[in-house]
Amino acid sequence: MTNNHLTDETLQAFLLKESQDDAVAAHLSACAECREKLENYQRLVAGMQKMAPESFAFDVTTVVMDKVVRYERQKKRMQELVFWGLLSILIIVIIAFSIPFLSQIRAVFTAIPVFTMLLIIGTGLVVLLFLIVDLNTQYKRKAEKIFQNKLQPIR
Amino acid sequence: MKHMSNESGRFSDKVIVTNILNGNIQDFAVVVTQTEKLVAQIVRKMTTNADDQKDLVQDIYLKVYQNLPSFQFKSKLSTWIANIAYNTTVRYLQKKKIPIIGMEETTESKFIATEDAEFDTIKTEAVDILTKEIDQLPPLYKTLITLYHLEELPNKEIAEITNLPEGTIKSYLYRARKMLKDNVNHHYKNR
Ligand SMILES: [Zn+2]
């Protein structure tokens, strides 16, 4: 028995109560060498629990929230950029396609009576007005959402 | 956090994540405050450069923020964040070509080479000796020892954080403790 000393693994498992073995306890009560080893481990574990936990040299919340808010702003700016980019491409495409028909469009206006032309222009203006109103409400809703989110970094 | 029961912990995790996803960005600061200590035990134990640590912490929490919609609540939020912290730190160490385990022989011989020059054993307190000896350990061992003994996390949770099998963590911990015990003993014998 005494020739067969306990391994470090066995000692650690016994100390940390990962295994309960009567043979280990029996050997320990009989063997001073293994007892000393166990005491070393006991001291080690107690020491490790007493160590000061690590902390950062900077304020983590400030640093992180700065980064996150910057990321959110960038994302929003990107979305706006994509929106306006697509809109301008659409407008350019429409203009490009309508160039060959320019003279025909002018012919339409000269051919129809004044009253019909006014009717067409009036309808167009009403549609445009509705579009502007809709755009405005959407903008307001978004602004409100941003206000609720309090997108400002905390100081 | 540690004393919070699992169920109420999960519940408050859900409340806070829902709030953030609904656009209350400031609630993310609460998550940061609750988890920064755990993240520090990983980042500060595994890396040494202070500037890099700042970048790492920002990277880690931005990843957390970006991936929050895909968080499944299968683990505690803090465990999930610690896992992101661990993976990000390991990738950083790989980029720097710093081994996370290293050869045991190298660590031990490094210890022998520096002990006389660096430590004044007579004046050094036991805790200081231990702290210095832990610093000599490979990055992964350092974190495992801290998570187990200081944060008192169960093996299962450490496994979730490090993506390592529980058996591997156990044997790494055994080896780390043996190295620490031998090296600390070495100090006292050389007195
Ligand atoms: Zn023995």
Side-chain angles (χ1 to χ4, degrees), chain B residues 24-53:
Chain B
N24 295 305
I25 221 181
Q26 289 308 319
D27 275 18
F28 192 66
V30 179
V31 172
V32 177
T33 323
Q34 283 177 347
T35 53
E36 65 167 284
K37 189 172 152 262
L38 183 57
V39 169
Q41 306 320 310
I42 295 165
V43 174
R44 287 221 58 188
K45 281 290 170 204
M46 297 184 83
T47 67
T48 46
N49 186 305
D51 289 335
D52 289 353
Q53 282 171 358

PDB file of all heavy atoms in Angstrom, chain B residues 24-53:
ATOM      1  N   ASN B  24     -34.388  49.224 -27.457  1.00  0.00           N
ATOM      2  CA  ASN B  24     -33.872  49.939 -26.285  1.00  0.00           C
ATOM      3  C   ASN B  24     -32.378  49.675 -26.145  1.00  0.00           C
ATOM      4  O   ASN B  24     -31.942  48.834 -25.366  1.00  0.00           O
ATOM      5  CB  ASN B  24     -34.597  49.507 -25.017  1.00  0.00           C
ATOM      6  CG  ASN B  24     -36.053  49.898 -25.060  1.00  0.00           C
ATOM      7  OD1 ASN B  24     -36.375  51.066 -25.263  1.00  0.00           O
ATOM      8  ND2 ASN B  24     -36.923  48.930 -24.921  1.00  0.00           N
ATOM      9  N   ILE B  25     -31.653  50.412 -26.952  1.00  0.00           N
ATOM     10  CA  ILE B  25     -30.217  50.173 -27.048  1.00  0.00           C
ATOM     11  C   ILE B  25     -29.516  50.333 -25.706  1.00  0.00           C
ATOM     12  O   ILE B  25     -28.540  49.632 -25.414  1.00  0.00           O
ATOM     13  CB  ILE B  25     -29.635  51.122 -28.127  1.00  0.00           C
ATOM     14  CG1 ILE B  25     -28.617  50.379 -28.964  1.00  0.00           C
ATOM     15  CG2 ILE B  25     -29.033  52.344 -27.563  1.00  0.00           C
ATOM     16  CD1 ILE B  25     -27.986  51.241 -30.017  1.00  0.00           C
ATOM     17  N   GLN B  26     -30.034  51.237 -24.850  1.00  0.00           N
ATOM     18  CA  GLN B  26     -29.366  51.479 -23.570  1.00  0.00           C
ATOM     19  C   GLN B  26     -29.411  50.265 -22.644  1.00  0.00           C
ATOM     20  O   GLN B  26     -28.586  50.129 -21.745  1.00  0.00           O
ATOM     21  CB  GLN B  26     -29.972  52.700 -22.861  1.00  0.00           C
ATOM     22  CG  GLN B  26     -29.637  54.024 -23.525  1.00  0.00           C
ATOM     23  CD  GLN B  26     -28.136  54.210 -23.767  1.00  0.00           C
ATOM     24  OE1 GLN B  26     -27.317  53.879 -22.930  1.00  0.00           O
ATOM     25  NE2 GLN B  26     -27.770  54.720 -24.924  1.00  0.00           N
ATOM     26  N   ASP B  27     -30.371  49.370 -22.870  1.00  0.00           N
ATOM     27  CA  ASP B  27     -30.427  48.161 -22.055  1.00  0.00           C
ATOM     28  C   ASP B  27     -29.224  47.263 -22.298  1.00  0.00           C
ATOM     29  O   ASP B  27     -28.897  46.404 -21.485  1.00  0.00           O
ATOM     30  CB  ASP B  27     -31.722  47.381 -22.343  1.00  0.00           C
ATOM     31  CG  ASP B  27     -32.868  47.901 -21.504  1.00  0.00           C
ATOM     32  OD1 ASP B  27     -32.743  49.034 -21.004  1.00  0.00           O
ATOM     33  OD2 ASP B  27     -33.870  47.188 -21.350  1.00  0.00           O
ATOM     34  N   PHE B  28     -28.567  47.468 -23.439  1.00  0.00           N
ATOM     35  CA  PHE B  28     -27.371  46.678 -23.717  1.00  0.00           C
ATOM     36  C   PHE B  28     -26.281  46.988 -22.695  1.00  0.00           C
ATOM     37  O   PHE B  28     -25.471  46.118 -22.357  1.00  0.00           O
ATOM     38  CB  PHE B  28     -26.885  46.942 -25.145  1.00  0.00           C
ATOM     39  CG  PHE B  28     -25.837  45.967 -25.603  1.00  0.00           C
ATOM     40  CD1 PHE B  28     -26.141  44.621 -25.786  1.00  0.00           C
ATOM     41  CD2 PHE B  28     -24.537  46.378 -25.847  1.00  0.00           C
ATOM     42  CE1 PHE B  28     -25.180  43.710 -26.186  1.00  0.00           C
ATOM     43  CE2 PHE B  28     -23.562  45.476 -26.254  1.00  0.00           C
ATOM     44  CZ  PHE B  28     -23.884  44.141 -26.420  1.00  0.00           C
ATOM     45  N   ALA B  29     -26.285  48.225 -22.192  1.00  0.00           N
ATOM     46  CA  ALA B  29     -25.304  48.612 -21.171  1.00  0.00           C
ATOM     47  C   ALA B  29     -25.459  47.747 -19.919  1.00  0.00           C
ATOM     48  O   ALA B  29     -24.473  47.429 -19.247  1.00  0.00           O
ATOM     49  CB  ALA B  29     -25.465  50.086 -20.823  1.00  0.00           C
ATOM     50  N   VAL B  30     -26.710  47.364 -19.616  1.00  0.00           N
ATOM     51  CA  VAL B  30     -26.948  46.501 -18.452  1.00  0.00           C
ATOM     52  C   VAL B  30     -26.291  45.136 -18.670  1.00  0.00           C
ATOM     53  O   VAL B  30     -25.638  44.586 -17.768  1.00  0.00           O
ATOM     54  CB  VAL B  30     -28.470  46.329 -18.214  1.00  0.00           C
ATOM     55  CG1 VAL B  30     -28.733  45.425 -17.024  1.00  0.00           C
ATOM     56  CG2 VAL B  30     -29.133  47.684 -18.013  1.00  0.00           C
ATOM     57  N   VAL B  31     -26.455  44.619 -19.893  1.00  0.00           N
ATOM     58  CA  VAL B  31     -25.832  43.331 -20.223  1.00  0.00           C
ATOM     59  C   VAL B  31     -24.309  43.420 -20.071  1.00  0.00           C
ATOM     60  O   VAL B  31     -23.673  42.524 -19.512  1.00  0.00           O
ATOM     61  CB  VAL B  31     -26.203  42.913 -21.670  1.00  0.00           C
ATOM     62  CG1 VAL B  31     -25.409  41.689 -22.111  1.00  0.00           C
ATOM     63  CG2 VAL B  31     -27.689  42.627 -21.769  1.00  0.00           C
ATOM     64  N   VAL B  32     -23.753  44.529 -20.541  1.00  0.00           N
ATOM     65  CA  VAL B  32     -22.299  44.717 -20.445  1.00  0.00           C
ATOM     66  C   VAL B  32     -21.864  44.733 -18.978  1.00  0.00           C
ATOM     67  O   VAL B  32     -20.930  44.033 -18.589  1.00  0.00           O
ATOM     68  CB  VAL B  32     -21.861  46.018 -21.155  1.00  0.00           C
ATOM     69  CG1 VAL B  32     -20.357  46.237 -20.989  1.00  0.00           C
ATOM     70  CG2 VAL B  32     -22.219  45.960 -22.633  1.00  0.00           C
ATOM     71  N   THR B  33     -22.569  45.486 -18.162  1.00  0.00           N
ATOM     72  CA  THR B  33     -22.210  45.574 -16.741  1.00  0.00           C
ATOM     73  C   THR B  33     -22.292  44.214 -16.060  1.00  0.00           C
ATOM     74  O   THR B  33     -21.459  43.881 -15.222  1.00  0.00           O
ATOM     75  CB  THR B  33     -23.155  46.555 -16.010  1.00  0.00           C
ATOM     76  OG1 THR B  33     -23.458  47.632 -16.891  1.00  0.00           O
ATOM     77  CG2 THR B  33     -22.517  47.104 -14.765  1.00  0.00           C
ATOM     78  N   GLN B  34     -23.316  43.453 -16.436  1.00  0.00           N
ATOM     79  CA  GLN B  34     -23.501  42.151 -15.780  1.00  0.00           C
ATOM     80  C   GLN B  34     -22.455  41.125 -16.194  1.00  0.00           C
ATOM     81  O   GLN B  34     -22.229  40.157 -15.471  1.00  0.00           O
ATOM     82  CB  GLN B  34     -24.898  41.607 -16.110  1.00  0.00           C
ATOM     83  CG  GLN B  34     -25.988  42.274 -15.299  1.00  0.00           C
ATOM     84  CD  GLN B  34     -27.361  41.771 -15.684  1.00  0.00           C
ATOM     85  OE1 GLN B  34     -27.531  41.106 -16.705  1.00  0.00           O
ATOM     86  NE2 GLN B  34     -28.355  42.095 -14.876  1.00  0.00           N
ATOM     87  N   THR B  35     -21.860  41.286 -17.357  1.00  0.00           N
ATOM     88  CA  THR B  35     -20.980  40.227 -17.864  1.00  0.00           C
ATOM     89  C   THR B  35     -19.517  40.636 -17.981  1.00  0.00           C
ATOM     90  O   THR B  35     -18.678  39.781 -18.262  1.00  0.00           O
ATOM     91  CB  THR B  35     -21.463  39.757 -19.258  1.00  0.00           C
ATOM     92  OG1 THR B  35     -21.580  40.898 -20.104  1.00  0.00           O
ATOM     93  CG2 THR B  35     -22.792  39.036 -19.165  1.00  0.00           C
ATOM     94  N   GLU B  36     -19.203  41.911 -17.759  1.00  0.00           N
ATOM     95  CA  GLU B  36     -17.827  42.345 -18.016  1.00  0.00           C
ATOM     96  C   GLU B  36     -16.795  41.652 -17.122  1.00  0.00           C
ATOM     97  O   GLU B  36     -15.670  41.426 -17.538  1.00  0.00           O
ATOM     98  CB  GLU B  36     -17.699  43.868 -17.914  1.00  0.00           C
ATOM     99  CG  GLU B  36     -17.953  44.430 -16.538  1.00  0.00           C
ATOM    100  CD  GLU B  36     -17.514  45.891 -16.434  1.00  0.00           C
ATOM    101  OE1 GLU B  36     -16.311  46.123 -16.352  1.00  0.00           O
ATOM    102  OE2 GLU B  36     -18.396  46.783 -16.451  1.00  0.00           O
ATOM    103  N   LYS B  37     -17.200  41.280 -15.917  1.00  0.00           N
ATOM    104  CA  LYS B  37     -16.255  40.615 -15.014  1.00  0.00           C
ATOM    105  C   LYS B  37     -15.867  39.244 -15.586  1.00  0.00           C
ATOM    106  O   LYS B  37     -14.687  38.894 -15.622  1.00  0.00           O
ATOM    107  CB  LYS B  37     -16.882  40.458 -13.628  1.00  0.00           C
ATOM    108  CG  LYS B  37     -15.893  39.978 -12.594  1.00  0.00           C
ATOM    109  CD  LYS B  37     -16.481  40.014 -11.180  1.00  0.00           C
ATOM    110  CE  LYS B  37     -15.828  38.974 -10.296  1.00  0.00           C
ATOM    111  NZ  LYS B  37     -16.594  37.720 -10.147  1.00  0.00           N
ATOM    112  N   LEU B  38     -16.856  38.510 -16.034  1.00  0.00           N
ATOM    113  CA  LEU B  38     -16.600  37.192 -16.612  1.00  0.00           C
ATOM    114  C   LEU B  38     -15.734  37.314 -17.868  1.00  0.00           C
ATOM    115  O   LEU B  38     -14.789  36.542 -18.071  1.00  0.00           O
ATOM    116  CB  LEU B  38     -17.932  36.505 -16.931  1.00  0.00           C
ATOM    117  CG  LEU B  38     -17.883  35.082 -17.471  1.00  0.00           C
ATOM    118  CD1 LEU B  38     -17.155  34.154 -16.521  1.00  0.00           C
ATOM    119  CD2 LEU B  38     -19.292  34.555 -17.727  1.00  0.00           C
ATOM    120  N   VAL B  39     -16.061  38.286 -18.713  1.00  0.00           N
ATOM    121  CA  VAL B  39     -15.289  38.507 -19.938  1.00  0.00           C
ATOM    122  C   VAL B  39     -13.835  38.860 -19.592  1.00  0.00           C
ATOM    123  O   VAL B  39     -12.896  38.415 -20.247  1.00  0.00           O
ATOM    124  CB  VAL B  39     -15.952  39.601 -20.805  1.00  0.00           C
ATOM    125  CG1 VAL B  39     -15.050  40.036 -21.948  1.00  0.00           C
ATOM    126  CG2 VAL B  39     -17.284  39.105 -21.358  1.00  0.00           C
ATOM    127  N   ALA B  40     -13.668  39.625 -18.510  1.00  0.00           N
ATOM    128  CA  ALA B  40     -12.311  40.005 -18.095  1.00  0.00           C
ATOM    129  C   ALA B  40     -11.492  38.787 -17.687  1.00  0.00           C
ATOM    130  O   ALA B  40     -10.284  38.728 -17.958  1.00  0.00           O
ATOM    131  CB  ALA B  40     -12.386  40.996 -16.935  1.00  0.00           C
ATOM    132  N   GLN B  41     -12.142  37.811 -17.051  1.00  0.00           N
ATOM    133  CA  GLN B  41     -11.407  36.605 -16.635  1.00  0.00           C
ATOM    134  C   GLN B  41     -10.896  35.836 -17.853  1.00  0.00           C
ATOM    135  O   GLN B  41      -9.938  35.083 -17.752  1.00  0.00           O
ATOM    136  CB  GLN B  41     -12.280  35.673 -15.784  1.00  0.00           C
ATOM    137  CG  GLN B  41     -12.933  36.306 -14.582  1.00  0.00           C
ATOM    138  CD  GLN B  41     -12.044  37.283 -13.835  1.00  0.00           C
ATOM    139  OE1 GLN B  41     -10.905  36.981 -13.501  1.00  0.00           O
ATOM    140  NE2 GLN B  41     -12.538  38.485 -13.614  1.00  0.00           N
ATOM    141  N   ILE B  42     -11.544  36.024 -18.984  1.00  0.00           N
ATOM    142  CA  ILE B  42     -11.099  35.334 -20.202  1.00  0.00           C
ATOM    143  C   ILE B  42     -10.080  36.190 -20.948  1.00  0.00           C
ATOM    144  O   ILE B  42      -8.955  35.756 -21.209  1.00  0.00           O
ATOM    145  CB  ILE B  42     -12.322  35.009 -21.098  1.00  0.00           C
ATOM    146  CG1 ILE B  42     -13.231  34.013 -20.366  1.00  0.00           C
ATOM    147  CG2 ILE B  42     -11.869  34.451 -22.440  1.00  0.00           C
ATOM    148  CD1 ILE B  42     -14.604  33.882 -20.945  1.00  0.00           C
ATOM    149  N   VAL B  43     -10.462  37.423 -21.266  1.00  0.00           N
ATOM    150  CA  VAL B  43      -9.596  38.269 -22.095  1.00  0.00           C
ATOM    151  C   VAL B  43      -8.296  38.635 -21.366  1.00  0.00           C
ATOM    152  O   VAL B  43      -7.212  38.541 -21.930  1.00  0.00           O
ATOM    153  CB  VAL B  43     -10.354  39.549 -22.531  1.00  0.00           C
ATOM    154  CG1 VAL B  43      -9.430  40.506 -23.273  1.00  0.00           C
ATOM    155  CG2 VAL B  43     -11.538  39.181 -23.407  1.00  0.00           C
ATOM    156  N   ARG B  44      -8.423  39.035 -20.105  1.00  0.00           N
ATOM    157  CA  ARG B  44      -7.225  39.472 -19.383  1.00  0.00           C
ATOM    158  C   ARG B  44      -6.319  38.312 -19.006  1.00  0.00           C
ATOM    159  O   ARG B  44      -5.117  38.493 -18.849  1.00  0.00           O
ATOM    160  CB  ARG B  44      -7.627  40.265 -18.135  1.00  0.00           C
ATOM    161  CG  ARG B  44      -8.154  41.645 -18.498  1.00  0.00           C
ATOM    162  CD  ARG B  44      -7.660  42.690 -17.556  1.00  0.00           C
ATOM    163  NE  ARG B  44      -6.207  42.748 -17.506  1.00  0.00           N
ATOM    164  CZ  ARG B  44      -5.525  43.470 -16.651  1.00  0.00           C
ATOM    165  NH1 ARG B  44      -6.134  44.173 -15.763  1.00  0.00           N
ATOM    166  NH2 ARG B  44      -4.217  43.480 -16.677  1.00  0.00           N
ATOM    167  N   LYS B  45      -6.894  37.125 -18.841  1.00  0.00           N
ATOM    168  CA  LYS B  45      -6.058  35.963 -18.515  1.00  0.00           C
ATOM    169  C   LYS B  45      -5.328  35.461 -19.760  1.00  0.00           C
ATOM    170  O   LYS B  45      -4.219  34.947 -19.671  1.00  0.00           O
ATOM    171  CB  LYS B  45      -6.907  34.832 -17.933  1.00  0.00           C
ATOM    172  CG  LYS B  45      -7.262  35.028 -16.479  1.00  0.00           C
ATOM    173  CD  LYS B  45      -6.030  34.877 -15.573  1.00  0.00           C
ATOM    174  CE  LYS B  45      -6.349  35.322 -14.168  1.00  0.00           C
ATOM    175  NZ  LYS B  45      -5.167  35.742 -13.417  1.00  0.00           N
ATOM    176  N   MET B  46      -5.966  35.599 -20.919  1.00  0.00           N
ATOM    177  CA  MET B  46      -5.383  35.004 -22.129  1.00  0.00           C
ATOM    178  C   MET B  46      -4.501  35.973 -22.909  1.00  0.00           C
ATOM    179  O   MET B  46      -3.710  35.546 -23.744  1.00  0.00           O
ATOM    180  CB  MET B  46      -6.488  34.436 -23.022  1.00  0.00           C
ATOM    181  CG  MET B  46      -7.254  33.310 -22.349  1.00  0.00           C
ATOM    182  SD  MET B  46      -8.487  32.547 -23.396  1.00  0.00           S
ATOM    183  CE  MET B  46      -7.500  31.376 -24.322  1.00  0.00           C
ATOM    184  N   THR B  47      -4.650  37.277 -22.699  1.00  0.00           N
ATOM    185  CA  THR B  47      -3.847  38.243 -23.448  1.00  0.00           C
ATOM    186  C   THR B  47      -3.154  39.205 -22.490  1.00  0.00           C
ATOM    187  O   THR B  47      -3.563  39.358 -21.346  1.00  0.00           O
ATOM    188  CB  THR B  47      -4.720  39.076 -24.409  1.00  0.00           C
ATOM    189  OG1 THR B  47      -5.588  39.899 -23.615  1.00  0.00           O
ATOM    190  CG2 THR B  47      -5.568  38.198 -25.310  1.00  0.00           C
ATOM    191  N   THR B  48      -2.120  39.886 -23.003  1.00  0.00           N
ATOM    192  CA  THR B  48      -1.359  40.780 -22.125  1.00  0.00           C
ATOM    193  C   THR B  48      -1.359  42.236 -22.589  1.00  0.00           C
ATOM    194  O   THR B  48      -1.249  43.137 -21.778  1.00  0.00           O
ATOM    195  CB  THR B  48       0.103  40.306 -22.015  1.00  0.00           C
ATOM    196  OG1 THR B  48       0.577  39.998 -23.333  1.00  0.00           O
ATOM    197  CG2 THR B  48       0.202  39.065 -21.141  1.00  0.00           C
ATOM    198  N   ASN B  49      -1.526  42.461 -23.901  1.00  0.00           N
ATOM    199  CA  ASN B  49      -1.436  43.819 -24.430  1.00  0.00           C
ATOM    200  C   ASN B  49      -2.701  44.626 -24.123  1.00  0.00           C
ATOM    201  O   ASN B  49      -3.805  44.269 -24.544  1.00  0.00           O
ATOM    202  CB  ASN B  49      -1.211  43.742 -25.945  1.00  0.00           C
ATOM    203  CG  ASN B  49      -0.965  45.100 -26.554  1.00  0.00           C
ATOM    204  OD1 ASN B  49      -1.766  46.021 -26.384  1.00  0.00           O
ATOM    205  ND2 ASN B  49       0.132  45.232 -27.258  1.00  0.00           N
ATOM    206  N   ALA B  50      -2.543  45.747 -23.392  1.00  0.00           N
ATOM    207  CA  ALA B  50      -3.706  46.517 -22.926  1.00  0.00           C
ATOM    208  C   ALA B  50      -4.494  47.135 -24.088  1.00  0.00           C
ATOM    209  O   ALA B  50      -5.728  47.167 -24.052  1.00  0.00           O
ATOM    210  CB  ALA B  50      -3.260  47.599 -21.952  1.00  0.00           C
ATOM    211  N   ASP B  51      -3.796  47.639 -25.109  1.00  0.00           N
ATOM    212  CA  ASP B  51      -4.501  48.231 -26.249  1.00  0.00           C
ATOM    213  C   ASP B  51      -5.320  47.187 -26.994  1.00  0.00           C
ATOM    214  O   ASP B  51      -6.466  47.440 -27.391  1.00  0.00           O
ATOM    215  CB  ASP B  51      -3.495  48.868 -27.224  1.00  0.00           C
ATOM    216  CG  ASP B  51      -2.889  50.127 -26.638  1.00  0.00           C
ATOM    217  OD1 ASP B  51      -3.538  50.744 -25.772  1.00  0.00           O
ATOM    218  OD2 ASP B  51      -1.762  50.483 -27.033  1.00  0.00           O
ATOM    219  N   ASP B  52      -4.707  46.026 -27.178  1.00  0.00           N
ATOM    220  CA  ASP B  52      -5.414  44.936 -27.854  1.00  0.00           C
ATOM    221  C   ASP B  52      -6.626  44.495 -27.052  1.00  0.00           C
ATOM    222  O   ASP B  52      -7.659  44.141 -27.621  1.00  0.00           O
ATOM    223  CB  ASP B  52      -4.481  43.743 -28.068  1.00  0.00           C
ATOM    224  CG  ASP B  52      -3.424  44.043 -29.130  1.00  0.00           C
ATOM    225  OD1 ASP B  52      -3.533  45.113 -29.760  1.00  0.00           O
ATOM    226  OD2 ASP B  52      -2.510  43.222 -29.310  1.00  0.00           O
ATOM    227  N   GLN B  53      -6.507  44.545 -25.736  1.00  0.00           N
ATOM    228  CA  GLN B  53      -7.625  44.139 -24.882  1.00  0.00           C
ATOM    229  C   GLN B  53      -8.831  45.040 -25.106  1.00  0.00           C
ATOM    230  O   GLN B  53      -9.963  44.579 -25.159  1.00  0.00           O
ATOM    231  CB  GLN B  53      -7.205  44.178 -23.411  1.00  0.00           C
ATOM    232  CG  GLN B  53      -6.369  42.968 -23.018  1.00  0.00           C
ATOM    233  CD  GLN B  53      -5.772  43.087 -21.646  1.00  0.00           C
ATOM    234  OE1 GLN B  53      -5.939  44.100 -20.970  1.00  0.00           O
ATOM    235  NE2 GLN B  53      -5.065  42.059 -21.218  1.00  0.00           N
TER     236      GLN B  53
END
